[in-house]
Amino acid sequence: MSARESALADRLLIWDLQWFAEEKTEAPTPRRRQEARKEGQVARSADLTASLVLLAAVVALRAFGPAWMDEWRDFFAQFVAADPDRFSTGDGLVAWVTGHVVGAFANLVLFLALLAGVGLLTGFVQVGGLAAFKAVAPQWKRVSPGEGLKRLFSLRSVVEGVKLVLKLTVLGAIGYNLALQVFQQAGRLGGLDPWGLVQWMGPQLWNVALEASLALLGLAVLDAWYQRFSLERQLRMTKQEVKEEFKRTEGNPAIKRKIRERQRALAQRRMMQEVPKASVVVTNPTHYAVALRYEPGAMDRPVVVAKGADVWALRIRETARAHGVPVVENPPLARRLHAMVDIGEAIPEVLFQAVAEVLAYVYRLRGWQLEGGRNSQ
């Protein structure tokens, strides 16, 4: 096989293997979302921010614009009519600026602050408090020609093109409606003086601005939904990626199983070390064994220090006999103790009578007095 044929075969093999590539069908894990957020991958619509800022500007100009225009008109009128001698000294200039310029420009500052506040609030509502330094760090793939071509022919580019067409269509329709109104009123408007023409155009322009901002806001809401949908689609994971993520987050199942087995072995070893200290071992006689410890005067109620079933029940019995701990067969009591009481817990009140009878039998067997625990011999 020639080198050309070998290269072609390799390409076909890679193309065929793509059919077996696992699809990203799983929802992203919380860790995946957190890592994406750190890298600046968030669902943020710039159109939503811009449209809300534009709407805020239109509403603010409609509400406060006339008052601001009056202040600016008074400002220029007083500037023109002011005595030039007032500006010849520093004190006079400062007094005039303090009385007129500051008031006029304060409205402009408040207007810009309002727009900035709306923009910041919209961004915060969309992404919350986010400081993604990785997103602004230089990345070579952003200037790569290959990556540029991919972005040019990607689904995002198609969506951006559709958004641009929709915006131009909406704005064109609103502009056409305004032009049609001017054309229909051309006869009446021709007889108006300049101030009358301005008075007629003012409300019309405000209506156009309001309609345009509301239309752009509607498109921006759709864009915000698409940004969330696109991010969710981008963050999807394969089943294998979810498994690997689980291993990194929760730990390898095999390792966790070994840890649990080791912890269980240590717990059982400590349990067997408590059997020689028991006062009595109650058995089934073969399936269950429960070791009880009770010290009159030092303990309020007997405590289960060890319990087990089958193999571990046999080990408990053998250890108890090796260390001289009495072994009493009481199947009903052994089953209830094994099911109701965990290791280290005191027996419940419902078992007081049965356990007391077993302990009394053990004390009589050893020749002890139940009260005081002294040797009666």
Side-chain angles (χ1 to χ4, degrees), residues 26-348:
E26 304 302 312
T29 61
R31 182 182 178 88
R32 176 75 176 96
R33 296 180 188 274
Q34 185 179 7
E35 291 177 351
R37 182 177 176 82
K38 290 180 180 179
E39 295 177 359
Q41 291 182 282
V42 291
R44 179 181 178 274
S45 174
D47 291 351
L48 183 60
T49 302
S51 61
L52 285 175
V53 170
L54 176 61
L55 181 60
V58 172
V59 173
L61 289 176
R62 177 63 175 178
F64 307 105
W68 293 346
M69 291 297 296
D70 291 341
E71 289 189 6
W72 277 95
R73 188 165 49 249
D74 294 342
F75 165 71
F76 284 110
Q78 292 179 9
F79 178 76
V80 173
D83 185 2
D85 294 337
R86 297 183 60 182
F87 307 111
S88 60
T89 61
D91 294 339
L93 180 61
V94 170
W96 189 85
V97 169
T98 304
H100 300 87
V101 177
V102 173
F105 277 91
N107 295 326
L108 178 60
V109 173
L110 291 176
F111 177 70
L112 296 178
L114 172 64
L115 301 187
V118 171
L120 292 175
L121 180 61
T122 305
F124 181 81
V125 170
Q126 291 188 80
V127 301
L130 176 64
F133 298 104
K134 290 184 179 181
V136 298
Q139 297 183 13
W140 291 109
K141 67 178 182 179
R142 294 179 180 175
V143 296
S144 171
E147 294 294 333
L149 289 175
K150 289 181 181 179
R151 290 193 296 268
L152 182 62
F153 296 100
S154 63
L155 178 61
R156 181 177 293 274
S157 298
V158 176
V159 172
E160 293 297 329
V162 172
K163 285 165 49 180
L164 179 59
V165 172
L166 289 176
K167 291 177 185 178
L168 293 177
T169 302
V170 170
L171 296 179
I174 295 175
Y176 174 78
N177 186 36
L178 176 62
L180 185 61
Q181 292 181 17
V182 173
F183 179 76
Q184 292 174 348
Q185 300 288 335
R188 188 173 67 87
L189 296 178
L192 297 177
D193 57 0
W195 180 245
L197 184 62
V198 169
Q199 288 182 329
W200 182 87
M201 287 296 297
Q204 303 302 322
L205 292 177
W206 184 83
N207 290 333
V208 168
L210 183 61
E211 291 176 0
S213 59
L214 291 176
L216 292 177
L217 178 60
L219 294 177
V221 171
L222 295 178
D223 179 66
W225 172 84
Y226 170 75
Q227 295 298 334
R228 290 186 177 276
F229 170 78
S230 178
L231 178 65
E232 193 73 13
R233 183 172 176 270
Q234 185 179 359
L235 296 181
R236 283 180 183 174
M237 305 171 67
T238 64
K239 295 182 182 297
Q240 184 62 31
E241 288 175 340
V242 173
K243 292 179 181 179
E244 295 296 331
E245 186 73 25
F246 178 78
K247 288 181 180 179
R248 289 194 299 267
T249 305
E250 302 295 334
N252 192 308
I255 296 177
K256 293 184 66 176
R257 184 171 58 255
K258 290 182 179 179
I259 293 176
R260 286 195 298 268
E261 291 176 354
R262 182 170 298 180
Q263 291 175 343
R264 189 182 304 112
L266 291 175
Q268 291 170 343
R269 185 180 303 173
R270 288 194 297 267
M271 179 187 71
M272 296 304 298
Q273 292 175 352
E274 295 296 322
V275 174
K277 305 176 185 177
S279 303
V280 64
V281 173
V282 183
T283 65
N284 193 25
T286 58
H287 293 294
Y288 298 107
V290 180
L292 299 174
R293 183 181 178 184
Y294 179 64
E295 297 179 2
M299 302 173 64
D300 295 333
R301 291 181 291 175
V303 176
V304 174
V305 296
K307 70 176 184 177
D310 299 329
V311 176
W312 283 103
L314 176 60
R315 293 185 181 181
I316 291 174
R317 291 197 305 270
E318 293 177 348
T319 304
R321 291 191 178 105
H323 291 81
V325 177
V327 178
V328 178
E329 293 185 8
N330 190 329
L333 180 59
R335 286 194 298 268
R336 298 186 69 183
L337 285 171
H338 188 275
M340 297 176 58
V341 189
D342 291 330
I343 297 175
E345 292 184 355
I347 64 171

